[in-house]
Amino acid sequence: MTTSDHAATLKILVLHGPNLNLLGRREPHIYGTTTLAQIEDRLRELGAELGAELEFLQSNHEGELLDRLHARMDTVQGCLLNPAALTHTSVALLDCIKTMPFPVVEVHLSNIHAREPWRQRSITGEGAKAAVMGFGWRSYLVALRGLVALLRE
Ligand code: DQA
């Protein structure tokens, strides 16, 4: 039996912002053809392997993402967040991330630094513990591994 067998289950919130419900059909040359449901299945599977219980929410509404973070403030240990377009606009989400007592890892399918100039600025990223981008759907898995490793330290 290894030490990790004794580690407590981690609760991790996974939030997806606007338009990510359309993954698979949305600009597949940029975001690929994997759907959000497939990404969540792969995350759930990896979470089980790593001892992390995941809760998912996709919303096209900024306030709904904020409300879920507030509601889970004292019950989760970390968060993976793809703020999607809100990355580049949302001071409200940045303020919220800074207020959370747990680490938030920002995730992007695409490498935002290799895209339009206005997309290269992440407002939310200023409050994030770390960011993973450019690996397509795999960004989420890399981010989950990183976050769990950090939380188990
Ligand atoms: C995105 C990048 C954002 O600029 C864009 O608005 C998205 C998706 C990504 O995952 O690559 O909706 O967050």
Side-chain angles (χ1 to χ4, degrees):
M1 204 178 260
T2 65
T3 355
S4 64
D5 292 325
H6 298 291
T9 300
L10 295 168
K11 286 199 167 75
I12 293 173
L13 190 57
V14 182
L15 298 178
H16 313 281
N19 300 306
L20 292 173
N21 52 312
L22 298 180
L23 281 181
R25 297 179 61 185
R26 176 187 176 202
E27 300 183 274
H29 56 291
I30 297 173
Y31 301 117
T33 52
T34 306
T35 65
L36 194 62
Q38 288 169 330
I39 292 175
E40 291 185 350
D41 282 347
R42 292 168 195 177
L43 274 172
R44 218 176 273 112
E45 205 174 296
L46 179 61
E49 224 176 85
L50 300 176
E53 191 184 300
L54 309 184
E55 173 184 332
F56 299 98
L57 172 70
Q58 186 281 326
S59 179
N60 295 321
H61 307 278
E62 185 177 29
E64 208 176 328
L65 296 167
L66 292 169
D67 286 346
R68 184 62 62 92
L69 279 160
H70 293 186
R72 297 293 180 265
M73 190 167 173
D74 297 318
T75 50
V76 302
Q77 284 81 52
C79 174
L80 299 185
L81 169 66
N82 184 346
L86 297 171
T87 305
H88 319 293
T89 61
S90 182
V91 174
L93 210 42
L94 169 61
D95 286 347
C96 178
I97 293 167
K98 283 180 165 172
T99 305
M100 292 300 113
F102 49 75
V104 174
V105 177
E106 185 162 307
V107 182
H108 298 285
L109 297 129
S110 64
N111 176 2
I112 60 172
H113 298 298
R115 300 186 62 190
E116 303 94 320
W118 54 265
R119 216 184 274 278
Q120 295 178 18
R121 167 102 201 275
S122 170
I123 289 179
T124 50
E126 196 181 310
K129 175 76 182 169
V132 178
M133 64 183 78
F135 292 107
W137 61 268
R138 294 170 201 82
S139 291
Y140 285 92
L141 300 190
V142 174
L144 180 61
R145 282 191 188 280
L147 179 60
V148 169
L150 204 71
L151 293 170
R152 296 253 188 246
E153 242 168 44

